[in-house]
Amino acid sequence: RKGTAVITGASSGLGLATAKALADTGKWHVIMACRNFLKAEKAARSVGMSKEDYTVMHLDLASLESVKQFVENFRRTEQPLDVLVCNAAVYQPTAKEPSFTAEGFEISVGTNHLGHFLLSRLLLDDLKKSDYPSKRMIIVGSITGNTNTLAGNVPPKANLGDLRGLASGLNGQNSSMIDGGEFDGAKAYKDSKVCNMLTMQELHRRYHEETGVTFASLYPGCIATTGLFREHIPLFRLLFPPFQKYITKGYVSEEEAGKRLAQVVSDPSLGKSGVYWSWNNNSSSFENQLSKEASDAEKAKKLWEVSEKLVGLA
Ligand code: NDP
């Protein structure tokens, strides 16, 4: 049978390119879990995916109710779940004030981390039930976790501190930042990606042996053309792609990045659990090192426990 992969945020950028790459193999049915149904449907058609290769299902990660509803709706389809890809993200680098999810969490961490945290915890049960030979859960990370690169060291740097802002609700009353500091949209995004990478490792430690599920994260390269940068100032949007192409040489096309993530979904040679994948300039994959904070097991455990409380799992 075909594998079934759920991809969040498959209506543009990396998620769409990955959906397309998987559909093109003829071996996958992709559930595009998206907040904008019409946009996702149009996107799938625009890249030439054929009807039988995908299903669009509604998921708004900025609402925990929507996450639960998605899981129910997915279960009602009675399809197996073989791979989950947590890909969707918001990035608000120029926001002066925080905005908030339905439950009142700062939106970058609320969407990118807490929404995916609940989704992955709920869908782990479905993954366990699958009889697919290689079951995987992938959480897309970012270069923020690499200390061995220039881009990973550009300020404002991620820093979760002692998680005091998160523990106090991340709701703007006490703090809208995980470390309890002043709001900074770019930092909130980077913090959320560190949470993604810590969560992947904690899932690996808690569930890999018991379930056989492979947990992985990755940095697909700098895809300077995606919608992620839509809220940046126009001059940045103009200069960023050539800067990445010619100066840092970290640039990858959406198509290439989609192929990379599709490898993490299905390539037998990328089946190791607990790994953060990256690619060399010649497009060969390797197991990358994470920064000190993004591989801090104690912090991962604390993050897990605080996040469980916030999403109502504890
Ligand atoms: P895009 O903005 O193109 O894609 C983000 C996707 O997330 C969109 O489909 C968007 O939906 C969706 N999304 C946003 N908010 C929600 C929500 N509340 N509920 C459901 N879906 C939502 O960006 P990219 O493709 O670049 O980003 C994809 C992933 O890649 C992210 O995890 C990002 O952190 C990561 N990444 C990107 C890099 C890059 O250089 N671009 C580098 C490293 C990592 P909609 O279409 O409706 O807006």
Side-chain angles (χ1 to χ4, degrees):
R1 67 170 173 90
K2 275 188 174 182
T4 302
V6 168
I7 305 180
T8 68
S11 49
S12 73
L14 178 62
L16 178 63
T18 307
K20 160 85 174 147
L22 290 174
D24 280 351
T25 64
K27 294 179 183 156
W28 290 90
H29 184 82
V30 181
I31 309 278
M32 300 170 71
C34 299
R35 62 177 166 178
N36 183 334
F37 199 92
L38 199 64
K39 182 177 174 186
E41 191 62 51
K42 279 189 186 154
R45 269 185 242 156
S46 76
V47 295
M49 288 167 70
S50 50
K51 270 258 162 245
E52 62 274 14
D53 289 338
Y54 71 94
T55 308
V56 178
M57 287 183 66
H58 186 261
L59 168 65
D60 185 347
L61 287 156
S63 153
L64 299 178
E65 273 316 305
S66 172
V67 171
K68 290 180 206 160
Q69 193 65 54
F70 170 82
V71 172
E72 267 182 41
N73 291 345
F74 174 73
R75 286 177 182 159
R76 238 177 260 136
T77 68
E78 295 186 357
Q79 293 180 77
L81 177 66
D82 306 319
V83 174
L84 169 64
V85 182
C86 297
N87 160 78
V90 281
Y91 176 46
Q92 302 193 322
T94 57
K96 298 271 182 294
E97 299 288 334
S99 36
F100 299 94
T101 66
E103 285 78 14
F105 307 124
E106 185 284 317
I107 203 154
S108 323
V109 173
T111 305
N112 309 355
H113 168 56
L114 292 171
H116 278 135
F117 182 80
L118 179 61
L119 182 73
S120 56
R121 290 291 300 278
L122 297 176
L123 287 180
L124 188 57
D125 283 336
D126 303 75
L127 270 176
K128 278 190 210 165
K129 288 183 200 139
S130 148
D131 60 357
Y132 205 70
S134 183
K135 307 182 271 195
R136 300 182 186 182
M137 187 189 288
I138 299 152
I139 309 179
V140 178
S142 185
I143 200 159
T144 310
N146 295 84
T147 42
N148 54 351
T149 61
L150 178 67
N153 285 298
V154 173
K157 288 215 255 180
N159 178 10
L160 310 187
D162 62 3
L163 308 185
R164 68 178 64 179
L166 189 70
S168 66
L170 206 73
N171 52 18
Q173 282 151 19
N174 304 305
S175 181
S176 50
M177 299 295 287
I178 294 181
D179 65 359
E182 286 288 302
F183 175 72
D184 179 322
K187 181 176 180 296
Y189 167 81
K190 293 183 185 181
D191 288 350
S192 77
K193 299 313 289 183
V194 171
C195 291
N196 286 154
M197 294 181 277
L198 288 172
T199 301
M200 178 279 286
Q201 294 163 87
E202 191 65 16
L203 281 160
H204 166 74
R205 281 188 285 267
R206 288 177 188 242
Y207 296 110
H208 174 64
E209 261 188 42
E210 175 201 327
T211 64
V213 172
T214 291
F215 299 95
S217 186
L218 71 151
Y219 173 64
C222 183
I223 330 159
T225 51
T226 70
L228 203 63
F229 305 104
R230 67 170 84 76
E231 290 178 37
H232 227 299
I233 57 168
L235 185 64
F236 177 89
R237 278 186 272 134
L238 180 73
L239 296 178
F240 192 49
F243 173 74
Q244 291 294 348
K245 224 177 241 172
Y246 305 113
I247 313 287
T248 71
K249 303 213 165 40
Y251 175 91
V252 279
S253 65
E254 293 181 26
E255 193 187 359
E256 172 61 23
K259 283 185 188 151
R260 291 177 178 181
L261 179 45
Q263 279 175 30
V264 185
V265 169
S266 68
D267 194 321
S269 67
L270 275 71
K272 188 170 165 191
S273 186
V275 172
Y276 170 64
W277 297 103
S278 296
W279 283 259
N280 290 320
N281 287 341
N282 64 2
S283 272
S284 53
S285 56
F286 67 97
E287 283 179 39
N288 206 344
Q289 295 295 315
L290 285 159
S291 71
K292 193 158 170 273
E293 182 171 50
S295 54
D296 182 335
E298 226 165 273
K299 211 170 256 194
K301 182 166 180 281
K302 192 168 173 194
L303 176 69
W304 180 277
E305 288 163 0
V306 174
S307 302
E308 274 192 327
K309 285 201 188 112
L310 293 180
V311 304
L313 285 172

